[in-house]
Amino acid sequence: QDSSPTTFGKGLLNIVGKDSTWSSKVGARMQLLAIANWENSETDGLQNPEQNFLVRRARLKFDGFVYTPKLRYKIELGLSNRDISGGSQFTGNTPRYIFDAVVKWNFYENFELWFGQTKLPGNIERVISSGDLQQVDRSLLNAKFNIDRDMGFQLRHHFKLGKQALIREKFAFSQGEGRNVTVGNLGGHQYTSRLEFLPFGKFQSKGDYKGADLAREETPKLMIGSTYDLNKNAVKTRSNMGTYMFTDTGFYETDISTFFMDFMFKYKGFSLMGEYANRDADDPIAKNLDGTETGDIVQIGNGLNLQTGYLLKKNWELSARFTSIKLDENITGKAPEKQYTLGLSKYIVGHKLKLQTDLSYLTVDQGTDELMFRLQLDVHL
Amino acid sequence: QDSSPTTFGKGLLNIVGKDSTWSSKVGARMQLLAIANWENSETDGLQNPEQNFLVRRARLKFDGFVYTPKLRYKIELGLSNRDISGGSQFTGNTPRYIFDAVVKWNFYENFELWFGQTKLPGNIERVISSGDLQQVDRSLLNAKFNIDRDMGFQLRHHFKLGKQALIREKFAFSQGEGRNVTVGNLGGHQYTSRLEFLPFGKFQSKGDYKGADLAREETPKLMIGSTYDLNKNAVKTRSNMGTYMFTDTGFYETDISTFFMDFMFKYKGFSLMGEYANRDADDPIAKNLDGTETGDIVQIGNGLNLQTGYLLKKNWELSARFTSIKLDENITGKAPEKQYTLGLSKYIVGHKLKLQTDLSYLTVDQGTDELMFRLQLDVHL
Amino acid sequence: QDSSPTTFGKGLLNIVGKDSTWSSKVGARMQLLAIANWENSETDGLQNPEQNFLVRRARLKFDGFVYTPKLRYKIELGLSNRDISGGSQFTGNTPRYIFDAVVKWNFYENFELWFGQTKLPGNIERVISSGDLQQVDRSLLNAKFNIDRDMGFQLRHHFKLGKQALIREKFAFSQGEGRNVTVGNLGGHQYTSRLEFLPFGKFQSKGDYKGADLAREETPKLMIGSTYDLNKNAVKTRSNMGTYMFTDTGFYETDISTFFMDFMFKYKGFSLMGEYANRDADDPIAKNLDGTETGDIVQIGNGLNLQTGYLLKKNWELSARFTSIKLDENITGKAPEKQYTLGLSKYIVGHKLKLQTDLSYLTVDQGTDELMFRLQLDVHL
């Protein structure tokens, strides 16, 4: 029964309806980004500079409960051109405005049933909100392997093991072609399972799914997680992401599996996150009915991402990241890549108002190296 | 002078401005839908299953008054890909984000003048909000014959006849090519007239334009309505809906008329709705200047829709629907169709939070029958 | 610490967060427009009538400060099809939903640093909000020469000169291809400088950037401004506006300069605005590498716009406008145009609720004259 203004960072609106019959928190945010990058050749040094100003992300978010606190909802909308692009014949030839539209029902004890479109329980880096990242943007591992959002059902459960330890189980049954699809299921469905183990109990302020140890955990906190995702008769090159694999008669279908192993550790301002990803397919080379190759290739291979940061006084943070991507070169024709990133963040009001900058160096086997500098401002009402 | 939180279902915000100089109710809603359907062949039974998860609709709505309660406005925005698709060269090659943007001025006694884009006074089923339906979605009659939204002026008036009876008259002067058109009027304009007769007076809570008798009317309530719509020199196959009829030199133009006769009856939880629709055209076969046929055909014919429901205890409702569509087979080449639907709804908080499921069987003359199962969750803040 | 409802015209929401740590004003507005126009031939008089109903503009706006009043933000979103059209391969093949997304930091005394996407400091008429115009829409000068919005940095400063006079300096460093571009900078960057001189001090209620003297200035107020804009190696026909100049190998690049000189005068309900614009280019004729012309031409030339209005009792206003456009006819092949417009406005609640109508006559040298009548309703919550 309260709609009095909040402190900064608690939402544009934070309403609890009359008689506590519902609630809604409304948030708005934007990320303003400047990028400069160069190719680095052994002979000529830095060259071919490119520059980019972007409204990288801008979002509206509504979440809360209806009728009973056991029935929660979330709606998240994208506003920037980068957010909403990617429309196709499969999305009604229309930009993909909705990110999340999901209802979560705590129907029994620690069980929760989800219905709608939202993030799948994939790698930890993907599930951390883009507004809560430790560096300017997510890693290459995430770009190549993540399983993003989809539409369908999820079942979630958690329980305590002993005095401290916590285990979470997450299952998803999804359409398998990504978000905002309007044409129904193609090929088969997608099945995702994730198990999370927190030996020292919960992080403060949900810190397992936030970048940087802004809560400065007083005791060590750890989450270890693992996801196995099977997309039966998948029709896209990166499971439910990537491009559609058309054939002369329809779609090429093959089972694609994606496996993640990841962890997050935080203690007194120090944070360490690690991820391993592997993607495989029954037959990664797309073929027409007569066996000729269509040219599409499932992006199989693996990746490793390690990221660490230390929070200094006044919430300045130094961070570093190492990412290694090894797609199956014989099949995909893509050379291994490594990327090294150094980041500096000033969290003025936590993740709600922050300035981040990072410098990345990308090396490609037998290819052209690249240097990238980024500066980003986050404002999150 | 009040913005205190509302009970659930009264809007996300419900503001009355200082000195009652304005008001605004802000609502947000989403419909999450799961569909499964099969073809049913006499020889092989159910086959070719298809499955679809959808954010069927998601909307933001603003309505209220400005300056004086006699000057009301409404803005409704679509968010889901299904809501906003349908962009074309006629809409600036851009999705159709705005549903309603209309101002309503009660300039004299019972007269109201509308200006902007909103629903035309067409068949009752169309004007019932998609958030207030008795079954998961509207009928085939509506899909084939409705005249949806358009841009222009409307004049509305109502008066009492005797002690109880109420008569409403609605006129619209519109562009005639549907919503969100940016290129101006093509062909001629569209003229719509609707007359409504409520012999036993108003329904409770505007129940004449809501599915299901959630108000459990204590005395019988009836509305009988009839719409005649004339689209002069129309250029689309279903009046202001359907596809544009291009010729080699521009557009094929023909007068298209659409006639609706409908009623809504409610009493003690029982509801019955009926609709008859008829569409005709001066010359339904589109032709080039030299008389050769372009292939486009105005979808002339008629339809019948009957729908009934009974509200049980605790707001469970059983409903049934029968729809028959007979397009002119000689002209359109389309066989008659009949659809039978059984629905079950649980109105947890009226139409604001409800779970609906229905099972439909479609028979097509000389064609393939289809079975469809749907499950939908509505959350309306 | 206040979110009590506002009077009409002060925003849908007007929130000051707890402990004054942030603020947000949320506004929504729409413009409903009806147009009728005719060609006027010397022999046959008015002919070829066209008619158009439009949701001309519809917007959502968020602005306020975060953390400290010295750090302000603004987000403005377009909703109508006319607002968001113009998507291309350069905007992710996606409509251009975001107008403004900018953060403004008053880092030292009278200095302010801006970062993000917003209007450049161009001609006065462009920077006046489309919700604060004196007539139904902006002039032809603006249509041909304005430099609209772009992404990048701006630096703004102002100081007092003597007792009354005020000088403002505005500099912008931008990407140079307009708003919502996702592909980074093409050609060179764009550099904009603007100087404003207000000899009699500030206008009331920021009237220098609003149409009509609704504040009825008690002493004469004047702003004289001048903008010089240089778009290095620009790739579009109107600097950061217009169409891309493709060649067979990429883009044609040439330096384009745009110069504006403008003023606004207001006194006791009388207002007079004048603008002169000039555009030039190093080599306005786009060529392929081998010197053949591509067909694209930079729209060089100049324009003059004079507009005046007088506010009568009860906020009725009569206004008149004269616009002359002279593109370089040898280069662009476009004949000089003159447009005369008479306007009548009723400001019911200032610019927040107003009805405007105007009648325009366009003469084109050796071309067809046109007559246009417009009626527009503005509602601004």
Side-chain angles (χ1 to χ4, degrees), chain C residues 167-209:
Chain C
I167 287 183
R168 297 193 195 114
E169 303 133 289
K170 306 176 179 181
F171 306 96
F173 169 69
S174 319
Q175 208 158 247
E177 282 95 44
R179 68 181 177 96
N180 299 67
V181 166
T182 56
V183 297
N185 186 41
L186 297 172
H189 287 90
Q190 181 174 6
Y191 307 84
T192 315
S193 304
R194 181 173 172 87
L195 196 70
E196 293 174 356
F197 177 53
L198 290 83
F200 315 124
K202 277 193 187 179
F203 288 62
Q204 287 184 52
S205 331
K206 301 185 180 174
D208 41 348
Y209 280 106

Side-chain angles (χ1 to χ4, degrees), chain C residues 305-347:
Chain C
N305 183 47
L306 290 170
Q307 183 171 324
T308 185
Y310 187 68
L311 198 67
L312 306 167
K313 280 181 193 169
K314 296 188 177 177
N315 290 337
W316 285 88
E317 189 191 48
L318 276 169
S319 62
R321 181 162 72 192
F322 166 74
T323 312
S324 166
I325 304 294
K326 283 186 189 165
L327 295 182
D328 185 318
E329 201 166 353
N330 293 330
I331 303 283
T332 66
K334 297 206 177 135
E337 298 179 341
K338 288 195 178 71
Q339 193 176 45
Y340 307 83
T341 303
L342 277 175
L344 178 66
S345 299
K346 168 63 179 172
Y347 302 97

Side-chain angles (χ1 to χ4, degrees), chain B residues 313-317 344-350 353-356:
Chain B
K313 280 180 191 170
K314 297 188 175 178
N315 290 337
W316 285 88
E317 189 190 48
L344 178 66
S345 299
K346 168 63 178 173
Y347 300 96
I348 304 165
V349 185
L353 178 63
K354 64 181 174 183
L355 189 66
Q356 297 186 301

Side-chain angles (χ1 to χ4, degrees), chain A residues 284-297:
Chain A
I285 301 172
K287 296 178 192 71
N288 290 310
L289 259 191
D290 64 4
T292 56
E293 297 182 8
T294 68
D296 283 319
I297 303 286

Side-chain angles (χ1 to χ4, degrees), chain A residues 300-342:
Chain A
I300 60 175
N302 56 64
L304 179 71
N305 184 47
L306 291 170
Q307 183 171 325
T308 185
Y310 186 68
L311 198 66
L312 306 168
K313 279 181 191 171
K314 297 188 175 177
N315 289 336
W316 285 87
E317 189 191 48
L318 276 170
S319 62
R321 181 162 71 194
F322 166 74
T323 312
S324 165
I325 304 294
K326 283 186 190 165
L327 295 182
D328 185 317
E329 201 166 353
N330 293 330
I331 302 281
T332 66
K334 297 201 178 139
E337 299 178 342
K338 288 196 177 70
Q339 193 176 43
Y340 307 83
T341 304
L342 276 176

Side-chain angles (χ1 to χ4, degrees), chain C residues 31 33 35 54 56-57 59 82-83 125-126 128-143 273 305 307 319 321 323 339 341 343 345 354 356-358 360 372 374-376 378:
Chain C
Q31 287 184 333
L33 173 62
I35 305 178
L54 267 184
R56 176 64 182 85
R57 294 181 180 93
R59 307 274 172 90
R82 274 287 291 269
D83 283 340
E125 190 187 12
R126 183 67 194 89
I128 292 175
S129 164
S130 58
D132 293 333
L133 299 178
Q134 189 166 37
Q135 294 188 330
V136 172
D137 217 331
R138 298 192 182 94
S139 74
L140 284 180
L141 180 144
N142 189 73
M273 184 185 79
N305 183 47
Q307 183 171 324
S319 62
R321 181 162 72 192
T323 312
Q339 193 176 45
T341 303
S345 299
K354 65 181 174 183
Q356 297 184 303
T357 182
D358 62 24
S360 296
M372 174 170 64
R374 298 187 287 197
L375 176 72
Q376 186 166 272
D378 257 275

Side-chain angles (χ1 to χ4, degrees), chain A residues 18 22 91 97 175 185 189, chain B residues 6 32 51 53 79 81 97:
Chain A
K18 214 172 179 173
W22 62 286
T91 67
Y97 196 67
Q175 210 158 245
N185 186 41
H189 288 89
Chain B
T6 59
L32 305 175
Q51 194 278 322
F53 291 124
L79 305 173
N81 280 56
Y97 195 67

